[in-house]
Amino acid sequence: MAAGSTYTPIATTTLGSNAASYTFSSIPSTYTDLVLIVNGEVSSSTTVSCQINADTGTNYSTTEIFSDGTTASSFRISNNAQIAVMGIGAQTSSGYPFMSILNFQNYSNTTTYKTVLGRTNQANLGVNAIAALWRSTSAINSIKLLGYLGASGFTAGTTFTLYGITAA
Amino acid sequence: MSPILGIIASQNYPRITGSYESIATTTVGAGGSSTITFSSIPSTYKHLQIRVLGRVPSFTIITFQVNGDTGNNYSIHNFGGDGSSTYVGATSSYSFGGAGVLSPATSTFSADIIDILDYTNTSKYKTFRTLSGYDANGSGRIELRSSLWQSTSAITSIVLSTDSGGAYQQYSQFALYGIKG
Amino acid sequence: MPNTYTLISATTLSSSASTVTLSSIPSTYTDLHLVCSLRSDYSSATNNAYCYFNSSDGGTAKLIYGNGSTVNNININYNESYIGGINAATSTSNTFTNFSLYIPNYLSSNYKSSSEDSVTENNATQAFSFLAARAWEYTAAVTSITFRLQFSTYAVGSTFYLYGIKNS
């Protein structure tokens, strides 16, 4: 069996000022999977979402399980204009950072739709896991994180990091 | 810091770079495949991770057997959400382990990340942890699943199959990684 | 390209311990990833376990978990570093909890968010699986990680692996 060390940083940014969104662009196609880590705060009540390859059509859907520490629920948003990274409830500017780990497996293939597997946490708000779909067979070359349900975005100091994993 | 009495500590060891390594990958061809086998798994890592993109004709889960063990030496537990409600499950003394859901939808694949710690340890049974899900724009699942293989043998092979949902479909992908420790 | 996922320390208990501390965590990484295989000597099926940083016990968390029969929730405000129930002496023999904790930006001057996925197997109906959103409400960089229990000790064979991840 082949063996090779992998898990490589592709790009990272720390916001120097508040920003409505952040985009990883020109993502190389040379990896097998992508792992995206976001850690930071939103500038006011909003919900973090994700779009791929600048696609703003209703080509996304998300299945989520969520708990606010009191009640567990599951819901789905279909035919949506973005992936709901954390769909129930909004992140708030609270001093508690939120974090997301998003996995994009086999992201550069041009045969299948793209599935996103994610975990998002904000300890004063809730815990979730998502499985999401982008109904496109295009290779992923850009990923945008943004807030919706509000005009706000991310605060200064929020970090966005993209890693590539290469399979044998 | 000196090692604490009674604890084997490697904090003073030289740092090992590049601890995450790719071992093997299988992508299913046009005819589909009822099983996926990782064999001759090297013993030189501490943990294994299997990253799956899976599709099958009918909804089912990934099942597995370790080292050819077909006995009732597995247990499975899970909880998750199906987009409208949460669910939970438990199976004990079963002939297969369970690791994640599989998508039955056209062009849509589940994502399953399976983590196995201390897979070569000959004093421990082997606990599998899987974060798994798919969304098919109207159906789907997201869940955390665990499974136990009740053997202290080091893992040398894993055969992944499905629980009556049919064969893995073309473009399903299975990638095995080793993590050093 | 750098390979960025690096082992910092590996600890294996050769005798029981009531607490385990991973100390002198270097400041040369961006994120930490902790994976542990845990069991307690406590004479029950599970024992409540806790994980905190820099000797400052406490935290806020939202947990969702399954117990083989139902889906449940736990809400922790400020005062506990509870990570869930781990395998203990009367659970299936030789069985250890599979625990993962991802800590992004562990050096930042904000509260520290972290993401927990853990499973406590048992060859019976009852077993436990946890997803948790965690926060440690201190602004200091993380320099040590401590595990403790509600009762008794961590069992021989429990292991603690700490990995550092660099974003560039």
Side-chain angles (χ1 to χ4, degrees):
Chain A
M1 292 185 185
S5 188
T6 185
Y7 209 104
T8 305
I10 297 172
T12 188
T13 292
T14 300
L15 295 182
S17 58
N18 292 2
S21 64
Y22 182 76
T23 301
F24 291 100
S25 58
S26 302
I27 297 172
S29 61
T30 49
Y31 301 97
T32 307
D33 300 344
L34 300 174
V35 180
L36 192 158
I37 310 288
V38 187
N39 182 218
E41 287 193 59
V42 295
S43 52
S44 66
S45 180
T46 188
T47 302
V48 177
S49 61
C50 172
Q51 290 174 327
I52 300 172
N53 288 14
D55 183 357
T56 58
T58 53
N59 297 314
Y60 305 90
S61 48
T62 307
T63 297
E64 178 172 344
I65 185 169
F66 173 83
S67 171
D68 61 2
T70 301
T71 304
S73 59
S74 180
F75 74 101
R76 179 173 298 114
I77 305 174
S78 300
N79 297 310
N80 204 28
Q82 53 265 314
I83 291 169
V85 171
M86 190 159 184
I88 286 184
Q91 280 83 6
T92 58
S93 179
S94 62
Y96 284 84
F98 80 94
M99 63 168 291
S100 290
I101 305 172
L102 303 176
N103 290 275
F104 303 78
Q105 292 172 223
N106 207 13
Y107 70 100
S108 65
N109 92 84
T110 55
T111 304
T112 72
Y113 292 163
K114 305 305 180 291
T115 295
V116 182
L117 186 66
R119 288 272 286 107
T120 296
N121 307 287
Q122 185 167 344
N124 65 323
L125 173 70
V127 54
N128 92 340
I130 65 163
L133 183 70
W134 178 46
R135 295 191 311 282
S136 170
T137 57
S138 297
I140 294 176
N141 55 58
S142 74
I143 301 171
K144 181 179 183 180
L145 281 299
L146 67 160
Y148 79 108
L149 298 184
S152 65
F154 306 101
T155 62
T158 299
T159 63
F160 304 83
T161 305
L162 190 65
Y163 299 92
I165 296 174
T166 303
Chain B
M1 174 184 165
S2 300
I4 298 170
L5 184 66
I7 299 173
I8 300 170
S10 65
Q11 289 129 323
N12 296 330
Y13 290 178
R15 191 175 71 206
I16 302 170
T17 60
S19 299
Y20 189 94
E21 294 192 355
S22 173
I23 300 174
T25 304
T26 297
T27 301
V28 176
S33 181
S34 59
T35 60
I36 302 296
T37 299
F38 291 113
S39 59
S40 303
I41 296 173
S43 62
T44 49
Y45 302 99
K46 281 297 181 184
H47 319 303
L48 297 175
Q49 184 177 83
I50 305 173
R51 300 173 74 91
V52 177
L53 278 176
R55 193 171 80 83
V56 288
S58 303
F59 172 75
T60 186
I61 66 166
I62 300 169
T63 54
F64 64 85
Q65 292 176 323
V66 183
N67 291 11
D69 185 356
T70 59
N72 294 329
N73 297 316
Y74 303 87
S75 56
I76 309 169
H77 296 83
N78 66 315
F79 80 90
D82 64 8
S84 62
S85 59
T86 60
Y87 60 85
V88 64
T91 304
S92 55
S93 299
Y94 196 54
S95 57
F96 287 88
V101 295
L102 292 164
S103 167
T106 303
S107 299
T108 301
F109 289 68
S110 67
D112 314 81
I113 301 177
I114 306 165
D115 286 289
I116 314 154
L117 307 186
D118 289 340
Y119 74 100
T120 64
N121 189 299
T122 55
S123 299
K124 296 181 178 180
Y125 291 169
K126 309 305 182 288
T127 298
F128 290 62
R129 167 174 47 86
T130 305
L131 184 68
S132 161
Y134 75 96
D135 181 287
N137 196 39
S139 62
R141 302 271 183 116
I142 175 67
E143 64 166 47
L144 182 67
R145 185 174 292 261
S146 64
S147 195
L148 180 68
W149 178 47
Q150 295 165 73
S151 171
T152 57
S153 297
I155 293 177
T156 59
S157 71
I158 301 172
V159 176
L160 302 168
S161 52
T162 70
D163 186 23
S164 76
Y168 293 110
Q169 299 299 286
Q170 186 180 22
Y171 307 120
S172 294
Q173 186 178 81
F174 302 80
L176 176 67
Y177 297 87
I179 297 111
K180 298 177 182 177
Chain C
M1 279 183 237
N3 290 308
T4 192
Y5 193 92
T6 305
L7 178 70
I8 297 172
S9 68
T11 302
T12 301
L13 296 188
S14 58
S15 63
S16 298
S18 58
T19 63
V20 176
T21 297
L22 313 180
S23 60
S24 303
I25 297 172
S27 60
T28 49
Y29 299 97
T30 310
D31 302 342
L32 298 175
H33 187 202
L34 186 60
V35 293
C36 305
S37 178
L38 305 172
R39 188 175 176 90
S40 171
D41 301 311
Y42 181 55
S43 57
S44 181
T46 61
N47 192 4
N48 292 325
Y50 305 81
C51 175
Y52 53 93
F53 309 148
N54 295 14
S55 303
S56 296
D57 200 347
T60 289
K62 301 289 183 284
L63 295 87
I64 182 172
Y65 72 95
N67 64 6
S69 299
T70 55
V71 178
N72 306 279
N73 308 272
I74 298 176
N75 185 24
I76 297 172
N77 288 317
Y78 308 114
N79 58 353
E80 268 199 352
S81 57
Y82 177 68
I83 60 172
I86 66 167
N87 283 103
T90 65
S91 68
T92 302
S93 60
N94 306 311
T95 301
F96 288 68
T97 294
N98 181 327
F99 172 87
S100 168
L101 186 71
Y102 193 95
I103 311 161
N105 295 328
Y106 71 104
L107 302 172
S108 84
S109 57
N110 300 318
Y111 292 171
K112 307 306 178 291
S113 178
S114 58
S115 182
E116 174 191 340
D117 296 6
S118 68
V119 297
T120 294
E121 257 293 335
N122 192 34
N123 188 38
T125 297
Q126 186 177 73
F128 295 88
S129 302
F130 296 87
L131 299 174
R134 320 196 60 82
W136 183 64
E137 290 107 325
Y138 293 88
T139 57
V142 175
T143 58
S144 70
I145 300 172
T146 298
F147 285 82
R148 67 172 177 88
L149 293 161
Q150 182 176 10
F151 306 108
S152 191
T153 51
Y154 286 100
V156 169
S158 294
T159 54
F160 307 78
Y161 300 90
L162 181 64
Y163 296 89
I165 299 160
K166 295 190 74 170
N167 67 358
S168 63

